[in-house]
Amino acid sequence: MLLLGIDVGTSSIKVSVVESASGHTLASASYPETESEIISLKHGWAEQSPQMWWANVKKAISICNAQHKYHAEDIAAIGIAYQMHGLVVVDKDGECLRNSIIWCDSRAVETGEHAFNQLGEQYALQHLLNSPGNFTASKLAWVKAHEPEIYSRIAKVMLPGDFIALQLTGEVTTSISALSEGVFWDFKENQISEALMKFFDFDKALIPEIKPVFSVHGELKKSIAEQLGLKAGVPVAYKAGDQPNNALSLNVTNPGEVAATAGTSGVIYGVTDQLLSDKASRVNTFAHVNHSAGQPRLGVLLCINGTGSMNRWAKDSLGATMNYTAINEAAQTISPGSEGLRVLPFGNGAERMLNNKIVGAHLQGIDLNVHRNPHIFRAVQEGIAFAFRYGLDILKENGMNPTVIRAGKSNLFLSDVFTQTFVNITGVPVELYDNDGSYGAAVGAGIGAGLFQSAAEAFAHKKPLKLVEPGTANLENEYLDWKSLLEKQL
């Protein structure tokens, strides 16, 4: 049987078709080829069109089908991964009422901080495991306060993956994992937070039907099946945010296991069975894909907004005629430490690990007689790796002490400079795997459809491509110099 995985990313949509028996990817496709637009009407705002996502999903599936490497009618289940924390609101007819306020949008920070203070630190951290911050619930409250006419017409609130599932099936569902990433879920009471809903004066009818992550969230509509060349009735059997999904795709499901990604944003995501919360809300805790009240599985998430976005800026601004492979090769020609050049990569909105401050991106120590583009390319990747070290130190304060980190060999982990710097400065080996979000979504669909009994069974065939261990280059002094620059900005 074949499984279709859809990954609704910020930059593009990627789809993969996976053979369930072997775990082999038969075909994959991304769309668009250039990065999708982020609409920023004001400083710190970030929106995308859900209709754009849906159009790009259809296009990506069409491109995948056109490779003629499988029979589309053999696809037995569909899974969806998606950019986390986005707000999508629809009316009673399922029509979008506004653009999605996406994960890196900062407009609701003050709204969330006010809610945190009013609900009380003890309640927020013990029950929600997070400050409402600029997460989905706070974004909805912002719409309620600033766009009351739109708010009055909202029938359902959903996350980006829920919207794609709605287009495929006509059904609107959610999960505990999704509600927790929106900071709607009360872990102590194992229900939607009564206190938060009352504080924001939200009607519970706005929340879709709650289903397990691994379950049937609806079946493919006949009209859509005809458009996509698929069979009607195929179940959408899995939906998860991109970071829990990435962890699943790396078989990170048990306490103590840790995954990392370095795409548009950078994330370290560790699994625990404890209801952990950071007093300063610099890291966040959400229900993992296999969480249940009887067997807690929580994902502790450290997010850095400005990782791949910083690398993209360097490429577009200084290496417009170069691809990322050429950028990485140029960075390798420069010695570790970038001859004193330092980069703070925080130019993509408010950074949670920096207490929701908008620090901005900075290049420090430029010597006009020494530094050229390759120095900047390397300094950018080193600065991103230093940001991961800063974040890992926060995770260690919260009881996460990984002995190995698993990551997909993609995005920044395609760069030897970044990967080796990451390993050297954190002191933690990295296992690199051949996987991505759409692969994880496909296999998640297989679990949800009952083709696999567990994640361990689904990913039993997956072996690391490479183990990267700490090398001889010691960048501790360079990191401390970088950290001092950051602290001055803070």
Side-chain angles (χ1 to χ4, degrees), residues 4-8 57 78-82 160-166 168-169 213 236-242 245 437-438 440-442 444-445:
L4 172 64
I6 301 169
D7 183 12
V8 183
V57 165
I78 300 170
I80 303 170
Y82 57 87
D162 302 328
F163 177 78
I164 298 304
L166 170 63
L168 292 167
T169 69
V213 170
V236 171
Y238 170 83
K239 289 189 302 181
D242 51 10
N245 175 73
S438 60

Side-chain angles (χ1 to χ4, degrees), residues 81-281:
Y82 57 87
Q83 49 175 289
M84 296 174 72
H85 315 306
L87 171 69
V88 181
V89 292
V90 299
D91 64 17
K92 58 183 177 59
D93 298 317
E95 298 295 327
C96 272
L97 292 169
R98 67 171 335 279
N99 284 332
S100 172
I101 303 175
I102 66 171
W103 58 277
C104 54
D105 188 286
S106 305
R107 77 187 70 182
V109 168
E110 290 185 6
T111 302
E113 288 178 348
H114 179 64
F116 180 72
N117 292 330
Q118 294 300 307
L119 290 168
E121 176 181 329
Q122 183 175 359
Y123 174 82
L125 297 183
Q126 292 187 3
H127 289 254
L128 306 176
L129 305 186
N130 303 282
S131 164
N134 63 332
F135 295 113
T136 314
S138 297
K139 290 168 182 171
L140 179 62
W142 185 94
V143 172
K144 185 172 184 285
H146 296 274
E147 299 174 345
E149 193 277 330
I150 288 176
Y151 183 84
S152 69
R153 293 190 286 139
I154 298 174
K156 293 295 178 187
V157 170
M158 60 188 73
L159 295 157
D162 302 328
F163 177 78
I164 298 304
L166 170 63
Q167 305 312 300
L168 292 167
T169 69
E171 301 291 330
V172 185
T173 68
T174 189
S175 66
I176 292 173
S177 181
L179 291 170
S180 74
E181 74 173 79
V183 192
F184 288 100
W185 192 252
D186 185 325
F187 284 91
K188 286 281 190 180
E189 302 298 332
N190 195 36
Q191 64 180 22
I192 296 169
S193 169
E194 297 276 1
L196 180 133
M197 297 296 281
K198 182 178 180 181
F199 176 77
F200 284 135
D201 192 24
F202 292 156
D203 188 337
K204 278 191 179 180
L206 295 174
I207 305 296
E209 178 186 3
I210 301 172
K211 289 196 170 187
V213 170
F214 301 108
S215 67
V216 175
H217 293 268
E219 296 181 344
L220 190 61
K221 295 188 292 186
K222 184 174 184 294
S223 60
I224 299 301
E226 290 172 352
Q227 290 181 41
L228 300 178
L230 307 178
K231 284 189 309 185
V234 174
V236 171
Y238 170 83
K239 289 189 302 181
D242 51 10
Q243 299 310 324
N245 175 73
N246 177 67
L248 173 73
S249 72
L250 294 165
N251 196 18
V252 170
T253 57
N254 296 311
E257 296 174 339
V258 178
T261 57
T264 303
S265 64
V267 167
I268 302 176
Y269 183 99
V271 178
T272 180
D273 55 3
Q274 304 298 311
L275 297 182
L276 296 178
S277 60
D278 178 49
K279 289 184 177 180
S281 296

Side-chain angles (χ1 to χ4, degrees), residues 125 129-131 135 277-285 300-304 351-356 390-391 393-398:
L125 297 183
L129 305 186
N130 303 282
S131 164
F135 295 113
S277 60
D278 178 49
K279 289 184 177 180
S281 296
R282 297 164 299 173
V283 299
N284 302 103
T285 303
V300 182
L301 185 153
L302 180 285
C303 181
I304 309 163
E351 292 285 357
R352 269 174 266 159
M353 77 170 185
L354 304 179
N355 301 112
N356 279 323
Y390 188 90
D393 286 349
I394 294 172
L395 284 173
K396 288 179 178 178
E397 290 177 31
N398 286 275

Side-chain angles (χ1 to χ4, degrees), residues 250-385:
L250 294 165
N251 196 18
V252 170
T253 57
N254 296 311
E257 296 174 339
V258 178
T261 57
T264 303
S265 64
V267 167
I268 302 176
Y269 183 99
V271 178
T272 180
D273 55 3
Q274 304 298 311
L275 297 182
L276 296 178
S277 60
D278 178 49
K279 289 184 177 180
S281 296
R282 297 164 299 173
V283 299
N284 302 103
T285 303
F286 307 117
H288 194 31
V289 293
N290 57 339
H291 172 78
S292 67
Q295 189 177 50
R297 293 292 183 268
L298 290 307
V300 182
L301 185 153
L302 180 285
C303 181
I304 309 163
N305 290 355
T307 52
S309 53
M310 184 76 221
N311 201 43
R312 183 201 68 220
W313 176 88
K315 174 185 174 297
D316 291 348
S317 301
L318 304 171
T321 62
M322 304 168 70
N323 58 27
Y324 284 112
T325 300
I327 295 290
N328 296 339
E329 289 172 352
Q332 279 190 298
T333 66
I334 306 302
S335 59
S338 306
E339 298 194 65
L341 187 60
R342 303 283 176 261
V343 171
L344 301 179
F346 303 116
N348 193 25
E351 292 285 357
R352 269 174 266 159
M353 77 170 185
L354 304 179
N355 301 112
N356 279 323
K357 288 185 171 63
I358 300 179
V359 173
H362 299 263
L363 276 70
Q364 301 274 358
I366 296 174
D367 185 327
L368 300 178
N369 298 312
V370 173
H371 296 129
R372 299 292 181 263
N373 285 0
H375 291 87
I376 297 176
F377 297 149
R378 184 174 191 109
V380 163
Q381 295 191 13
E382 288 182 340
I384 295 166

Side-chain angles (χ1 to χ4, degrees), residues 33 161 291 465:
E33 294 181 2
H291 172 78
L465 298 171

